[in-house]
Amino acid sequence: MKRKPIYVELNIHTDMEKLWTYTQTAELHEQWDLRFSSITYLPRKSERNTLAFLYETRIGFGLRISGTGRTKSSLREGAGGRLSTLAFGSEQPFSLIRHGAGYWQYRPNADSITFLTKYDYVTRFGRLGQWFDRLLFRPLFGWATALSFDVLRLWLEKRIPPAVSLQRTLIHYLCTVLLSLLWLYEGLVPKWMYPEAGELSIMQSMNMFPGMEQQALKWLGAAEILLGLLLLTYHRKKWIYYLQAAGLLALAGGALAYTPSLLEQPFNPFVLSAAMTGLCLIGLWTSKDLPDAANCIRKKGEMKK
């Protein structure tokens, strides 16, 4: 089965020495690279530009994959670029990766450095391992590489430490998923499946759609479902949070204006809208300078828009 090497490329606005330091120093490298939990360089024993290292990756459930590698660096005096080659492998029988090799390349531009990598590896477990790698592991590994590159970019360009970037990413996606689920639930369950439970009476009390309250309620539910789906796609855009805030204000304000007795209920529109508005604010605040694997070029020769 033919393998497709993993390729990631990204322009970073920094100087060569700083980028080299942040990628060639183990203590800094392990902070931004999601593929590794720890990296330890071993004392030099042979060539001056060659380093052996140990790496470890946590895969959950208390399991860890460990392996060894060797990296060799070289300078290209004429063009001012640099190259770091890499060979790695693991002897652990439950490691999918048996051994692999690749490189990091540093190309200087007028105001940035093009940092790119290309690597490939051989898997264990025969045909089953090859299919698992092709369908799941390799795409995930490539995505983790690209996301790591953008985490590094934010560290160098915006001075946002990797731990902060990853924490903000986790918070942002948690808010996105919760908000989307709430919009989908509110649009589907009380408005389409069980309107008689209370939503229909609220719509009737508003007297805005006489004789068509049930149809209007379904259209409102469809709009909420659509908003939940749009959020999953455009969660990095500011307008989606402004749209949600406007929707929440209109829904809660309209319901309470025509049926103020709803405030007496333990779970009323005000409580739900306030909680969702809070999630909107958190999602909006964490959407700025969020690392994104899509910022990277994933095919050699591809132009980034």
Side-chain angles (χ1 to χ4, degrees):
M1 186 180 297
K2 187 177 181 180
R3 302 187 308 270
K4 184 179 180 181
I6 293 174
Y7 181 89
V8 177
E9 176 184 331
L10 181 65
N11 281 345
I12 302 178
H13 291 85
T14 187
D15 60 81
M16 180 68 76
E17 291 302 328
K18 191 171 184 179
L19 179 59
W20 185 261
T21 299
Y22 276 64
T23 55
Q24 297 293 324
T25 304
E27 293 78 9
L28 298 174
H29 179 191
E30 66 186 17
Q31 292 186 55
W32 59 263
D33 200 330
L34 300 177
R35 298 168 298 174
F36 305 104
S37 304
S38 66
I39 302 171
T40 305
Y41 285 147
L42 302 176
R44 298 181 189 272
K45 292 183 179 180
S46 54
E47 302 177 56
R48 189 183 68 171
N49 293 331
T50 301
L51 273 175
F53 63 90
L54 304 175
Y55 68 85
E56 188 174 78
T57 302
R58 298 187 185 94
I59 60 175
F61 307 104
L63 297 176
R64 300 184 180 189
I65 299 293
S66 60
T68 60
R70 186 173 297 273
T71 178
K72 183 177 181 180
S73 59
S74 62
L75 308 181
R76 296 182 175 181
E77 301 291 347
R82 301 185 183 184
L83 181 71
S84 177
T85 58
L86 172 72
F88 57 92
S90 175
E91 297 297 328
Q92 288 185 292
F94 54 86
S95 171
L96 178 65
I97 296 178
R98 186 185 300 274
H99 59 81
Y103 62 83
W104 281 352
Q105 192 171 2
Y106 307 71
R107 298 175 183 170
N109 306 309
D111 60 347
S112 65
I113 306 295
T114 298
F115 181 46
L116 63 91
T117 185
K118 183 178 181 181
Y119 63 94
D120 198 3
Y121 51 83
V122 176
T123 59
R124 286 187 170 86
F125 313 123
R127 184 72 65 175
L128 179 62
Q130 292 175 9
W131 277 109
F132 178 76
D133 175 63
R134 181 177 182 179
L135 297 177
L136 181 63
F137 186 81
R138 188 170 293 256
L140 183 61
F141 215 46
W143 172 84
T145 304
L147 186 64
S148 297
F149 271 40
D150 207 41
V151 169
L152 174 63
R153 178 189 64 81
L154 289 171
W155 196 9
L156 293 172
E157 293 183 357
K158 305 284 188 177
R159 298 182 179 179
I160 302 175
V164 175
S165 283
L166 297 175
Q167 184 182 59
R168 287 175 57 185
T169 300
L170 179 62
I171 293 172
H172 178 82
Y173 278 96
L174 180 61
C175 287
T176 298
V177 171
L178 287 175
L179 273 172
S180 182
L181 287 175
L182 285 170
W183 282 117
L184 293 174
Y185 175 86
E186 286 297 313
L188 181 62
V189 177
K191 294 179 177 63
W192 278 78
M193 297 176 64
Y194 306 105
E196 294 81 5
E199 293 276 356
L200 185 57
S201 61
I202 295 175
M203 181 67 73
Q204 291 170 340
S205 68
M206 297 174 70
N207 200 29
M208 295 179 65
F209 307 95
M212 298 182 61
E213 289 88 356
Q214 193 153 11
Q215 293 88 338
L217 195 63
K218 288 187 175 182
W219 278 108
L220 180 58
E224 291 181 337
I225 292 171
L226 177 61
L227 186 55
L229 296 175
L230 286 174
L231 177 61
L232 293 176
T233 304
Y234 299 105
H235 60 90
R236 294 175 180 269
K237 306 295 184 181
K238 290 184 178 181
W239 63 263
I240 191 66
Y241 298 101
Y242 298 146
L243 182 60
Q244 288 181 91
L248 289 168
L249 181 62
L251 289 170
L256 294 176
Y258 287 93
T259 315
S261 60
L262 289 172
L263 284 172
E264 301 172 4
Q265 299 180 9
F267 299 103
N268 56 67
F270 175 77
V271 173
L272 179 61
S273 296
M276 292 181 69
T277 300
L279 289 174
C280 279
L281 289 174
I282 296 173
L284 176 62
W285 290 334
T286 55
S287 64
K288 183 180 179 182
D289 294 326
L290 204 63
D292 187 359
N295 289 331
C296 298
I297 292 174
R298 300 297 305 277
K299 294 181 181 179
K300 192 172 184 179
E302 179 184 15
M303 298 298 293
K304 198 68 182 174
K305 295 182 180 180

